[in-house]
Amino acid sequence: MENKTFTISVYSENNVGLLNRISGIFLKRHINILSLNVSESEIENVSRFVIVVNTTEKWVQNIVGQIEKQIEVIKAFYHIDEETIFLESAIFKIDSSLLFDERQIQNIIKESNSEIVTVSRDFFVISKSGKRTEIEDLYAKLKPFGIMQFVRSGRISISKSKMEISAILENF
């Protein structure tokens, strides 16, 4: 079996220590987590973990099974990239003088469908949401001008197919 990128969605109660136990499942198998995001889900009082890994389908099935054994976990799913819609977000802090002195910066912002979030005397901040490759491309274009700070979020994802989590919760 070949390695692929998988997005694992975990619906759970929001309890202390669960993140540590879930990351331990990956650690024991020497599988690196490429991206991790935890937030509220579409269901009240239920959290959703979105975990991105690169491994085989056999390993991801095993991991999902182990995750579902955790008491607080309601249900876990996995999908390949083609089965999901996903984005990442990034913000870039750049010296303000460049915004006015380098016309090319304005063109980069416009062409990349980025947005200026704030402008101050010393810096301005650009926000970009999209695929990781789009963010990496913007990073590469801005890097020669000097990036003061940069941060990128983990993947956020929804499945293209209907998730049966709501039906599962109705049975509880």
Side-chain angles (χ1 to χ4, degrees), residues 23-87:
S23 66
I25 292 169
F26 293 91
L27 177 65
K28 287 177 192 173
R29 287 158 184 79
H30 300 280
I31 296 175
N32 189 36
I33 295 174
L34 302 175
S35 173
L36 172 66
N37 187 344
V38 183
S39 69
E40 297 174 345
S41 73
E42 65 275 18
I43 303 156
E44 191 174 337
N45 298 320
V46 174
S47 294
R48 182 175 180 189
F49 291 71
V50 177
I51 305 165
V52 180
V53 295
N54 190 305
T55 190
T56 65
E57 187 162 8
K58 180 180 179 184
W59 274 108
V60 83
Q61 288 171 345
N62 183 279
I63 289 167
V64 166
Q66 291 298 308
I67 290 171
E68 286 187 329
K69 288 181 180 178
Q70 302 300 310
I71 293 170
E72 304 91 341
V73 172
I74 299 162
K75 187 70 178 157
F77 303 89
Y78 71 91
H79 297 93
I80 58 173
D81 285 354
E82 293 76 22
E83 298 171 332
T84 63
I85 299 165
F86 57 91
L87 295 172

Side-chain angles (χ1 to χ4, degrees), residues 153-166:
S153 73
R155 177 182 286 192
I156 55 173
S157 165
I158 56 174
S159 67
K160 291 180 181 177
S161 63
K162 182 178 178 181
M163 298 277 277
E164 300 299 326
I165 188 70
S166 297

